[in-house]
């Protein structure tokens, strides 16, 4: 009987639609509960990956902070005040010694405060039996040389959980040792700010757990957790005190320190159940609203829909003059007027979008240009202060002029491009500053005269040179050289920036190359400088141009800028 009723020609659209909605509702509910049971495990795995990503971020923060503190201290060993302190101890009177010591203490304290983590720096001068530290308590105590091994992070932890990490290294020049101490309170504070779970740190080298204020109740679970930590990262589940915990861990790259996160499993299940409940309620509400909406439908709606569909098809094919005639039905009359207004404004919107894209491109180029390294500026000012303190006014004048030329060029953000010759002169200013600070670093430029006039984006070479100095030459502890060459063939212009530094392993080179081509910012903050250069080249010249890197461990690094000749004219027109 029901079938016969709905097979008649005079059956209303509402009756057919209502029956279809009811059948669809029942079918969706059945399918949903079946798929729900299949997808629970998959959802949990995705949530576990998110937890592992949070742990990865925290472990990278640990590595970055340890490395930053260490690099700041090693850079400090080249400071004139640090190297000249032995001269004051040997030849100065008591007042000069005391004055030099106070100045050095102030400089050490400033260096310690320049990092995100508070740390203590101790300088040992074994020949003079003298100690100077950013902590005044160490500076005025009898000389006691640290017994820690060189170039290793050591954990010194008391029974009450207090203590510090220390790193002892020998200065680059003269019989001087530098010790860096990072209090465990810094690590415990970092863990207290982590709100996604209950964190702890485990040093696998010293077999010691470092806990924050909220994880002491989980100390008894170490006997289950620590034996299951085998690789650099991973996750597993344990049962402890009638609770199920999801354990995720990640090893910091700079030392044998694991960041471990305890997360209650029922928290994951609660979020899944809540989302599923909300989905069912939303589905039921949607179907109810659909049934109510069908009450407002009329039998004679097919023709307005057909006319509107044809107009949209013509519009979709590029006929922007397509219009819809007004109908007597209010809803379709409003819809037709909206469609007509949309068709009339399409060309204007297209022009606005194109202009907007050009503005975004220009803004991104200017943003890339307006960058200056605060540590580089600090080192230059520190050099000027050091030279002025010994009345070396020629060096002060030379550094001031070079720094002024450097800053003048870098802040000309209204110019989107420059000639290769101007870029090379800017690199010369930068390398002159570096050479004044470190005489062992030199630069050679081999560029044909006919290429000096080509137009390239501003500030495109200096980041590559800075990377070569900072990551290639300085870690090698030896004399270094930056070599810049340019050449061309029938299709391409190639500019290479090479250094004879420490290079990098194949794994790190592959990771940097991968991040260079990503449009969005990568999760791991690695290779930011070369990524900016590559993105600027592609924005300016197109996909055929860009940056590539060749390197091997202890074999130096070569950065190659490739510009297609046909794209140079297009880029100039776009910028103008």
């Amino acid at each position: 009987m029901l079938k016969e009723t709905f097979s008649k020609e005079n059956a209303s659209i509402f009756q057919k639609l209502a029956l279809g909605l009811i059948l669809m509702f029942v079918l969706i509910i059945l399918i949903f509960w079946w798929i729900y049971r299949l997808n629970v495990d998959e959802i949990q795995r995705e949530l576990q990956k998110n937890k592992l990503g949070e742990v990865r971020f925290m472990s990278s923060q640990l590595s970055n902070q340890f490395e930053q503190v260490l690099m700041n201290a090693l850079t400090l060993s080249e400071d004139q005040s640090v190297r000249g302190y032995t001269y004051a101890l040997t030849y100065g009177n008591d007042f000069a010694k005391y004055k030099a010591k106070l100045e050095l203490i102030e400089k050490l304290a400033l260096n310690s405060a320049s990092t995100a983590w508070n740390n203590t720096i101790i300088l040992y001068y074994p020949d003079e039996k003298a100690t100077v530290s950013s902590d005044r308590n160490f500076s005025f105590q009898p000389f006691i040389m640290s017994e820690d091994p060189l170039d290793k992070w050591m954990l010194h932890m008391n029974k009450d959980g207090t203590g510090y990490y220390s790193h002892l290294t020998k200065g680059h020049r003269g019989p001087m040792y530098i010790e860096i101490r990072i209090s465990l309170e810094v690590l415990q504070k970092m863990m207290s700010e982590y709100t996604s779970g209950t964190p702890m740190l485990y040093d696998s080298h010293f077999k010691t757990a470092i806990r924050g204020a909220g994880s002491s109740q989980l100390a008894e679970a170490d006997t289950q957790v620590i034996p299951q930590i085998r690789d650099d990262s991973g996750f597993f589940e344990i049962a402890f005190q009638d609770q199920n915990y999801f354990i995720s861990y990640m090893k910091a790259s700079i030392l044998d320190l694991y960041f471990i996160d305890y997360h209650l499993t029922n928290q994951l299940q609660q979020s899944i159940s809540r989302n599923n409940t909300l989905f069912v309620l939303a589905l039921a509400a949607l179907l109810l609203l659909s049934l109510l909406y069908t009450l407002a439908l009329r039998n004679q709606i097919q023709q307005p829909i057909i006319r509107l569909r044809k107009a949209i098809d013509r519009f979709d094919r590029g006929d922007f003059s397509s219009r819809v005639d007004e109908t007597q039905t209010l809803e379709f009359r409003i819809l037709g007027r909206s469609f007509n207004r949309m068709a009339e404004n399409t060309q204007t919107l297209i022009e606005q979008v194109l202009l907007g894209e050009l503005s975004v491109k220009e803004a991104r180029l200017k943003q890339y240009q307006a960058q200056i390294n605060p540590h580089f500026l600090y080192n230059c000012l520190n050099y000027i202060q050091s030279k002025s303190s010994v009345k070396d006014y020629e060096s002060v004048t030379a550094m001031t002029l070079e720094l002024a030329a450097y800053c003048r060029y870098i802040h000309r953000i209204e110019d989107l491009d420059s000639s290769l010759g101007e870029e090379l002169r800017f690199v010369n200013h930068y390398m002159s500053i570096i050479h004044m600070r470190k005489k062992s670093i030199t630069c050679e430029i081999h560029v044909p005269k006919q290429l000096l006039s080509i137009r390239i984006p501003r500030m495109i070479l200096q980041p590559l040179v800075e990377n070569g100095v900072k990551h290639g030459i300085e870690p090698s502890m030896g004399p270094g050289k930056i070599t810049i060459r340019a050449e061309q063939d029938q299709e391409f212009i190639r500019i290479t920036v090479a250094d004879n530094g420490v290079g990098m392993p194949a794994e790190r080179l592959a990771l940097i190359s991968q991040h260079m081509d990503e449009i969005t910012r990568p999760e791991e903050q690695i290779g930011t400088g070369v990524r900016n250069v590559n993105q600027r080249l592609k924005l300016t010249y197109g996909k055929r141009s860009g940056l590539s890197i060749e390197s091997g461990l202890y074999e130096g690094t070569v950065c190659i800028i490739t510009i297609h000749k046909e794209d140079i004219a297009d880029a100039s027109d776009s910028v103008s």
Side-chain angles (χ1 to χ4, degrees), residues 363-425:
R364 291 180 65 184
L365 291 175
K366 289 187 176 182
Q367 179 185 8
Y368 285 135
Q369 293 175 11
Q371 296 178 351
I372 184 169
N373 191 331
H375 295 291
F376 172 78
L377 182 60
Y378 168 77
N379 290 332
C380 293
L381 297 177
N382 186 56
Y383 176 89
I384 294 174
Q385 188 274 335
S386 300
K387 291 300 182 181
S388 63
S389 65
V390 297
K391 299 182 178 181
D392 187 356
Y393 300 120
E394 293 183 359
S395 298
V396 172
T397 301
M399 173 61 78
T400 304
L401 292 175
E402 295 291 349
L403 184 58
Y406 178 89
C407 293
R408 188 181 303 112
Y409 187 85
I410 200 172
H411 286 97
R412 283 167 47 196
I413 62 175
E414 69 279 359
D415 298 333
L416 298 180
D417 65 344
S418 64
S419 67
L420 178 57
E422 292 174 335
E423 280 291 292
L424 292 175
R425 284 194 294 273

Side-chain angles (χ1 to χ4, degrees), residues 6-7 14 19 23 33 52 56 78 86 88 92 110-111 117 145 213 221 244 325 363 424 544 568 571:
F6 285 96
S7 63
F14 168 74
L19 179 61
L23 294 177
W33 285 111
L52 192 60
R56 181 183 295 108
E78 296 291 336
T86 56
L110 181 62
N111 184 276
W117 282 4
M145 182 64 190
N244 293 325
D325 297 331
L424 292 175
R544 293 188 294 182
I568 294 180

Side-chain angles (χ1 to χ4, degrees), residues 66 154-158 161-165 181-191 201 208-211:
F66 272 100
M154 303 298 294
L155 175 61
H156 303 267
M157 188 172 182
N158 303 320
T162 60
Y164 59 90
Y165 271 99
R181 293 187 179 184
I182 300 176
S183 174
L184 295 184
E185 294 180 358
V186 175
L187 303 179
Q188 293 167 347
K189 180 181 178 181
M190 182 196 71
M191 288 188 288
L201 297 175
T208 303
I210 303 172
R211 297 186 174 277

Side-chain angles (χ1 to χ4, degrees), residues 65-75 153 167 180 254:
Q65 294 300 334
F66 272 100
E67 185 176 7
Q68 182 181 359
V69 171
L70 181 59
M71 291 302 297
N72 281 4
L74 294 178
T75 303
W153 284 101
H167 186 280
I180 309 160
I254 197 171

Side-chain angles (χ1 to χ4, degrees), residues 339-352:
F339 174 80
N340 292 338
R341 286 196 301 270
M342 181 193 68
E344 293 171 356
N345 296 330
T346 296
Q347 188 63 39
T348 302
L349 292 176
I350 291 176
E351 293 176 355
Q352 292 177 351

